[in-house]
Amino acid sequence: MKKALSYQDIYLVPRKGVLAHRADADLSVSFLDRKFRACFLPANMTDVVNIDICKWLSQNDYLYIMHRFGDTYQFVKQANKENWNLISISIGASQEDKDMLKMIATEQLRVDFVTIDIAHGHSVMMERMLKYLRYISSSKIIAGNVATPEGVRDLAVWGADAVKVGVSGGAACSTKMQTSFHVPMFTCVQDCFELGSFDCPIISDGGIRENGDIPKALRAGATLVMMGGLLAACADAPGENVYTDGGQYGMIPSDNRPPTHKRYHGSASEHQKGERKHVEGFQLQLPCNGLTYAEKYQELTESLSSAISYAGGVNLKAFRQVKYVEA
């Protein structure tokens, strides 16, 4: 049995650079008949995205997926009324989700992307929901999460246009501790890409701990890279602000300085579920990076541009050609 690797277990090997300036690198990505400015996107979690952030991302030609823990119907109505560039939502697999989708279809509201968000996506629940959504909607469908080539294949056959890959890769997820089920993310994405004999874009979801992990996910075969904690740590992220003063949390300063920490809850945490039942997530207090979302996106853009230069290419395709070594 081969050794399974996380993003932190490998590094990419530089190649001869061909760019005169790193800023000339092309970070754009084509995904489901649309073009976006970059290949990275926020996790669809309450402490990572909200309506205001999704609107900013839409206005700036970035991909987003709104989380499913609010009034999704009202979100769609507002986005339609304001004619957003991109309307992208998450749903579960409940009857309430089906009723909401039917209402959206009846009112002929535009929804560009629908993500079916189930912790164990390779399941009969997913199969039923995919077939229902494919019947009732013309939206592009993202589905997940899965951790095997078989999972990607089945979701594609059932109607998914793209698949989110990763089980218990997130920093606020405890599934691997609670159940023992997990595949380290680099190997997970690599296997789903290389062993799968099907044409289905993969979104790497989980395991991104630093900017430099994004090129590693692309090297493994991801088309898009989703991240939670990196963005939840931004000063204007939706998570609760925490201030420290002499070791005491919750002290709100009189000035306008950014918080020292941000609270970050897993989607399957007790806080998110509202009850202690099948809890597979927990709360973290992340050191605030002191950056706004826009500033962090600029930093990510610069990091990825430099990475393309080191990869010896001019765009994101360069990462597929590089070698990697185990740390």
Side-chain angles (χ1 to χ4, degrees), residues 221-233:
T223 298
L224 298 171
V225 184
M226 179 173 272
M227 52 197 160
L230 275 188
L231 295 172

Side-chain angles (χ1 to χ4, degrees), residues 301-316:
T301 295
E302 293 171 2
S303 294
L304 194 54
S305 296
S306 293
I308 289 173
S309 174
Y310 281 111
V314 299
N315 55 35
L316 299 176

Side-chain angles (χ1 to χ4, degrees), residues 238-255:
E240 183 182 357
N241 293 337
V242 179
Y243 299 87
T244 62
D245 184 10
Q248 298 297 313
Y249 285 94
M251 302 292 290
I252 301 175
S254 57
D255 56 22

Side-chain angles (χ1 to χ4, degrees), residues 53-229:
I53 288 171
C54 290
K55 185 174 183 178
W56 179 82
L57 293 166
S58 173
Q59 290 172 333
N60 288 278
D61 295 325
Y62 292 113
L63 176 60
Y64 74 88
I65 301 171
M66 179 58 174
H67 65 74
R68 63 183 177 90
F69 300 103
D71 192 333
T72 302
Y73 170 71
Q74 288 300 327
F75 174 84
V76 170
K77 284 197 71 174
Q78 177 180 333
N80 270 265
K81 183 178 180 180
E82 298 175 357
N83 194 25
W84 287 21
N85 294 335
L86 175 70
I87 304 176
S88 175
I89 63 172
S90 303
I91 60 170
S94 67
Q95 185 59 48
E96 289 79 6
D97 291 304
K98 292 181 178 179
D99 293 341
M100 184 265 296
L101 288 170
K102 187 174 182 180
M103 188 160 49
I104 287 173
T106 299
E107 296 184 22
Q108 297 183 327
L109 296 173
R110 176 171 65 89
V111 179
D112 302 303
F113 292 169
V114 177
T115 297
I116 306 176
D117 190 27
I118 302 176
H120 184 22
H122 194 193
S123 63
V124 293
M125 289 175 57
M126 177 63 78
E127 181 178 9
R128 293 167 185 161
M129 195 64 186
L130 269 169
K131 291 179 178 178
Y132 177 80
L133 180 56
R134 181 58 73 195
Y135 170 76
I136 200 172
S137 172
S138 60
S139 304
K140 296 293 185 181
I141 303 174
I142 302 168
N145 282 25
V146 304
T148 63
E150 294 79 12
V152 177
R153 178 198 62 209
D154 284 350
L155 267 58
V157 169
W158 298 337
D161 297 300
V163 174
K164 282 207 293 131
V165 166
V167 171
S168 195
C173 181
S174 63
T175 297
K176 56 180 174 289
M177 288 83 88
Q178 297 286 350
T179 71
S180 83
F181 284 89
H182 170 61
V183 179
M185 283 301 298
F186 184 81
T187 295
C188 178
V189 174
Q190 187 176 50
D191 284 353
C192 287
F193 178 78
E194 293 184 352
L195 301 181
S197 56
F198 33 80
D199 182 19
C200 182
I202 290 171
I203 302 175
S204 164
D205 179 15
I208 302 298
R209 304 288 186 261
E210 54 193 21
N211 297 3
D213 291 335
I214 295 174
K216 298 175 187 178
L218 298 173
R219 170 61 181 85
T223 298
L224 298 171
V225 184
M226 179 173 272
M227 52 197 160

